Amino acid sequence: MNNRKTVVLAGASGFIGGYFRTRFEQDGWRVRTVGRTCADTVRWGDDDGLTRALDGAELLVNLAGRSVDCRYSQRNKARILDSRVSTTAELGRAVARCSAPPATWLNASTGTIYRHAEDSPQSEHDGELGHGFSVEVARAWESALAAAETPLTRRVPLRISIVLGPGGGVMRPFAALARVGLGGHMGGGSQKFSWVHVEDLYRSALFVHQRTDLTGPVNVASPDVVDNRELMRLVRRAHGVPFGLPTPGWLLELGAVMIRTETELVLKSRWVQPRKLLDAGFIFRHAELGRALQDITGRRA
């Protein structure tokens, strides 16, 4: 008898999804993927295939969503929103059709749902939601999950902070800036930077799955929150760059237009507190940013 547990991983082609797929397989899980290529177990839009993939699985992890690293034109806004809301709704319909649905459904959300905060941490219990396009997307994403009628499946939105890891996430642009001498603070430099190492994100997903008493949104962020000035100092140290010129806000705005992205990614102050994880006893393996960056770059100070 094969006792391997099965996880259905939606959005397995990106940086985080690829990491999750590898780690689940290393931990002995059978992985079924949902995506848009022939390499996936099932493609979006295949309702019957999606139900078959989910039936009998123990865990569903949905990471699907178009990258927000782009200009927020009306066309891109629509794509960003639809890539999250429509896929979550599609999964909800498929789970509802299962005779043996997954016990847990972890759906990606974002720590950006909280307001710009430099004054106090934002926990799941007392955090204040913000406003603007990114927050509207996060609200709609979580609403789509809440609207799913899946009484036998526990649904948990993971409010994930900025994910760091080898070969992906924001490390590439940060490292590139540091190497060309622009690794100083960005804007005012006092904006907070909430982050999590991709390995701790994976471990926290397993932790939440196993802790069936955890309900509602769960913040996934390292407790070691730093400001942008400290972030860039640690980035420079991790790459052996002794100094870096600061980048004022007006120059960031100009640069963002030129490289087709938004300054919100670096200027919004994210201070996400993982209160539920800490209270439940989760221990971060990469709790301190300096050491996490050294782990990612393979370089010691």
Side-chain angles (χ1 to χ4, degrees):
M1 182 177 178
N2 191 337
N3 292 321
R4 292 177 67 194
K5 296 179 290 187
T6 298
V7 58
V8 175
L9 189 56
S13 60
F15 158 57
I16 300 172
Y19 189 89
F20 268 50
R21 179 173 188 166
T22 299
R23 291 293 288 116
F24 272 119
E25 289 174 345
Q26 289 174 343
D27 285 345
W29 288 69
R30 179 187 294 110
V31 179
R32 298 171 183 162
T33 63
V34 184
R36 303 188 186 282
T37 73
C38 59
D40 292 300
T41 307
V42 60
R43 296 192 193 191
W44 295 110
D46 180 357
D47 293 343
D48 292 339
L50 194 53
T51 302
R52 285 194 299 272
L54 287 163
D55 221 349
E58 177 170 324
L59 173 62
L60 165 60
V61 179
N62 178 24
L63 301 169
R66 180 184 174 88
S67 172
V68 296
D69 186 12
C70 60
R71 295 295 291 174
Y72 289 164
S73 64
Q74 290 304 314
R75 183 182 183 188
N76 285 338
K77 283 183 176 180
R79 287 178 170 179
I80 289 169
L81 181 64
D82 183 69
S83 67
R84 287 160 173 76
V85 174
S86 66
T87 51
T88 300
E90 188 173 341
L91 287 170
R93 293 191 296 271
V95 171
R97 288 192 296 267
C98 290
S99 57
T104 308
W105 174 1
L106 305 178
N107 207 70
S109 180
T110 171
T112 299
I113 198 171
Y114 296 110
R115 66 172 173 86
H116 179 101
E118 296 186 16
D119 55 338
S120 62
Q122 307 293 301
S123 77
E124 303 92 335
H125 305 300
D126 57 8
E128 301 170 50
L129 302 190
H131 56 81
F133 172 67
S134 298
V135 175
E136 292 171 5
V137 171
R139 284 176 180 266
W141 208 356
E142 294 190 5
S143 292
L145 178 66
E149 296 182 3
T150 60
L152 300 179
T153 299
R154 181 172 56 107
R155 291 159 290 159
V156 179
L158 300 179
R159 292 178 174 173
I160 303 169
S161 57
I162 294 174
V163 182
L164 305 181
V170 300
M171 287 310 301
R172 285 181 177 172
F174 282 172
L177 288 171
R179 291 191 181 109
V180 298
L182 295 176
H185 66 268
M186 301 170 175
S190 61
Q191 64 272 30
K192 300 293 186 183
F193 179 74
S194 275
W195 61 278
V196 65
H197 193 290
V198 66
E199 173 64 14
D200 278 334
L201 174 58
Y202 170 74
R203 292 176 57 249
S204 66
L206 288 180
F207 183 85
V208 173
H209 169 53
Q210 293 160 356
R211 286 292 301 262
T212 56
D213 57 317
L214 289 175
T215 59
V218 173
N219 290 347
V220 185
S222 166
D224 181 34
V225 177
V226 301
D227 63 24
N228 180 270
R229 193 179 298 270
E230 176 67 1
L231 161 68
M232 296 312 297
R233 185 188 73 80
L234 293 172
V235 168
R236 295 195 304 271
R237 188 184 74 173
H239 291 276
V241 179
F243 67 91
L245 295 174
T247 311
W250 67 267
L251 187 55
L252 286 170
E253 295 285 354
L254 179 62
V257 173
M258 295 177 66
I259 64 174
R260 311 298 300 162
T261 188
E262 293 284 341
T263 56
E264 178 193 39
L265 300 176
V266 295
L267 293 183
K268 180 172 180 176
S269 187
R270 298 171 174 85
W271 194 346
V272 183
Q273 184 182 58
R275 191 69 269 157
K276 287 186 179 178
L277 285 177
L278 294 175
D279 288 347
F282 181 77
I283 298 174
F284 286 85
R285 187 170 292 169
H286 302 278
E288 194 269 320
L289 180 57
R291 292 184 179 180
L293 292 176
Q294 289 172 354
D295 173 78
I296 292 168
T297 61
R299 185 187 183 107
R300 293 292 178 263

